């Protein structure tokens, strides 16, 4: 297997260090990129790779960013919040001719990347796959398999659930603060073959695995309404979380409060956490099926998915452009590759 070199922008953050650790575990060479040399050095040590190469590049220094990305095989951008500055990292990766993934969970940024960069990425021969996270990749891939199973879909509803202690990193909380409006009104859904902004009508309660009663849902700005219509014949795609989860996020913490919190969940909290994505599909002919994909440790899963995605792009087999996960990767193959990390998936008729 070739030893690809992967640049990690925002390498000094909580998610960045997990990504560095996963790159090392796979025997891939990491180049740490960010705005602060001391923080990058400390991150390299935390990841157990103290001799890794460091490159300092501020996000608003286009030439430095392009130079930092020029001779690597792919970039993993972990520098959130993405909405204010992520654009510059995408543009620099494309200018450097280097494939790009990120750990973004901000629906407005995801949509922006899909709408802004396809032509530039195609002409540069670069593949861009935004939202290579626990929330962005498994649900998109499973949605594609549901489409294979049922044929053209009238409706797809994705519900993201979290189990165990909901411990979030400071970076995640800052990202949520930056998209508070979308989180309140449900963000964007794909309705009757067009992307539409909330607020949306309440969703009917649904039976969910392990819940004794049908569960109340709230529309939520997830990734699937943005990514899935790019590769599936589907009329409507909605995102939702349990109403009780949305209530937790209803009043975002302030920047001042976030700064007082731990940088992220510790290993015990990460190990106790779980994530589940439930996809309910109704075919145009009325048949129904449910896909469920679940796993442990949201931040660990994000490190595995982002690195697995970057490694696949580095092999150069995906087409150029801004692609949804199911356009860049074989869905069943990618999901199966996550099995050693405890990721399980299944589709059942209903
Ligand atoms: N499922 C999901 O949606 C999912 C899962 C996991 C992670 N994420 C996202 O991943 C992102 C990172 O999370 P985290 O916990 O690692 O955050 P973090 O610990 O705050 O780290 C953020 C990183 O980004 C860098 N950064 C931020 N703003 C920058 C700027 N303007 N210029 C240059 N560098 C900048 C920081 O550099 P300094 O150290 O120099 O400040 C740091 O390296 C968040 O947006 C989070 O929401 C999403």
């Amino acid at each position: 297997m070739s030893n690809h070199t992967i640049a990690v922008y925002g390498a000094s953050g909580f998610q960045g260090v997990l990504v560095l650790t996963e790159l090392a575990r796979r025997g891939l060479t990491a180049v740490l990129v960010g705005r602060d040399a001391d923080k990058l050095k400390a991150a390299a040590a935390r990841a157990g790779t103290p001799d890794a190469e460091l490159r300092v590049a501020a996000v608003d220094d286009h030439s430095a960013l392009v130079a930092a990305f020029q001779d690597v095989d792919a970039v993993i951008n972990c520098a959130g919040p993405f909405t204010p500055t992520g654009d510059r990292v995408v543009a620099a990766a494309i200018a450097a001719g280097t494939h790009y993934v990120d750990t973004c969970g901000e629906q407005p940024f995801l949509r922006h990347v899909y709408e802004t960069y396809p032509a530039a990425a195609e002409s540069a021969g670069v593949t861009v796959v935004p939202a290579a996270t626990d929330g962005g990749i498994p649900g998109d891939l499973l949605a594609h398999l549901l489409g294979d199973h049922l044929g053209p879909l009238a409706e797809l509803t994705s519900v993201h659930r979290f189990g165990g202690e909901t411990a979030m990193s400071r970076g995640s909380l800052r990202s949520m603060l930056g998209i508070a409006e979308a989180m309140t009104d449900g963000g964007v859904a794909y309705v009757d073959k067009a992307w539409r902004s909330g607020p949306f009508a309440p969703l009917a309660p649904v039976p969910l695995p392990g819940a004794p009663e049908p569960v109340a849902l709230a529309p939520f700005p997830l990734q699937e309404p943005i990514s899935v219509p790019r590769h599936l014949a589907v009329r409507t795609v909605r995102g939702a979380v349990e109403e009780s989860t949305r209530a937790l996020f209803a009043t975002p913490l302030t920047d001042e409060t976030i700064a007082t919190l731990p940088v992220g969940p510790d290993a015990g909290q990460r190990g106790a956490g779980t994530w589940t994505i439930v996809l309910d599909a109704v075919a145009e002919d009325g048949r129904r099926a449910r896909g469920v994909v679940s796993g442990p440790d949201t931040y660990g899963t994000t490190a595995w998915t982002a690195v697995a995605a970057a490694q696949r792009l580095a092999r150069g087999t995906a087409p150029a452009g801004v692609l949804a996960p199911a356009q860049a990767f074989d869905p069943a193959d990618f999901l199966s590759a996550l099995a050693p990390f405890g990721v399980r998936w299944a589709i059942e008729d209903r």
Side-chain angles (χ1 to χ4, degrees):
M1 191 184 290
S2 53
N3 177 8
H4 294 296
T5 299
I6 312 288
V8 182
Y9 194 70
S12 55
F14 176 72
Q15 186 65 60
V17 171
L18 295 178
V19 164
L20 294 175
T21 307
E22 177 60 12
L23 287 168
R25 194 190 66 80
R26 288 181 188 239
L28 297 164
T29 302
V31 173
L32 287 69
V33 191
R35 57 184 168 187
D36 183 318
D38 290 340
K39 286 188 179 177
L40 292 178
K41 200 168 168 38
R46 283 208 302 285
T49 52
D51 299 326
E53 187 181 347
L54 317 178
R55 295 179 184 174
V56 176
V59 78
D60 53 3
D61 186 342
H62 182 71
S63 317
L65 273 184
V66 174
F69 297 159
Q70 207 123 44
D71 58 351
V72 301
D73 298 302
V75 174
I76 302 177
N77 181 14
C78 301
F82 291 84
T83 305
T85 55
D87 244 357
R88 297 165 191 187
V89 187
V90 183
I94 293 172
T98 303
H99 304 307
Y100 169 98
V101 306
D102 65 42
T103 64
C104 176
E106 297 153 47
Q107 193 201 52
F109 181 73
L110 178 62
R111 188 179 182 199
H112 174 74
V113 172
Y114 278 121
E115 290 181 353
T116 309
Y117 291 103
E122 276 170 41
S123 62
V126 163
T127 312
V128 172
V129 180
T133 66
D134 65 307
I137 285 203
D140 183 81
L141 298 178
L142 188 58
H144 195 85
L145 294 174
L146 269 169
D148 287 349
H149 182 69
L150 286 177
L153 300 183
E155 230 175 294
L156 180 76
T157 304
S158 174
V159 182
H160 288 203
R161 307 176 76 199
F162 304 95
E165 202 175 330
T166 311
M168 303 185 78
S169 73
R170 275 191 225 155
S172 292
L173 292 167
R174 288 195 183 107
S175 287
M176 289 168 64
L177 179 60
I179 59 159
E181 195 181 328
M183 290 181 45
T184 306
D185 66 18
V188 168
Y190 188 71
V191 182
D192 290 329
K193 294 193 178 278
W195 282 285
R196 298 177 202 277
S197 298
F200 301 107
L203 299 169
V206 292
L208 290 176
E213 304 281 341
V215 175
L217 299 179
F220 205 72
L222 298 182
Q223 294 83 346
E224 288 90 347
I226 307 298
S227 66
V228 170
R230 294 167 201 281
H231 55 84
L232 205 62
V234 60
R235 260 192 292 144
T236 293
V237 184
R238 298 181 191 280
V241 292
E242 293 176 49
E243 177 54 48
S244 55
T245 304
R246 197 196 62 83
L248 276 180
F249 301 148
T251 313
L253 301 178
T254 63
D255 263 326
E256 293 71 32
T257 308
I258 293 169
T260 66
L261 300 175
V263 66
D266 62 29
Q269 290 170 314
R270 281 177 45 213
T274 60
W275 56 271
T276 303
I277 298 173
V278 178
L279 293 168
D280 280 331
V282 184
E284 291 284 12
D285 65 9
R287 286 174 306 129
R288 291 169 182 265
R290 169 173 281 187
V292 179
V293 57
S294 62
D297 180 3
T298 57
Y299 294 99
T301 302
T302 293
W304 306 325
T305 52
V307 172
Q311 191 175 20
R312 280 166 164 72
L313 296 190
R315 289 181 194 135
T317 50
V322 180
L323 304 185
Q327 293 173 305
F329 313 120
D330 177 85
D333 171 66
F334 197 109
L335 286 171
S336 302
L338 294 177
F341 306 110
V343 175
R344 302 281 177 265
W345 62 278
I347 288 176
E348 61 172 36
D349 291 314
R350 293 174 70 85

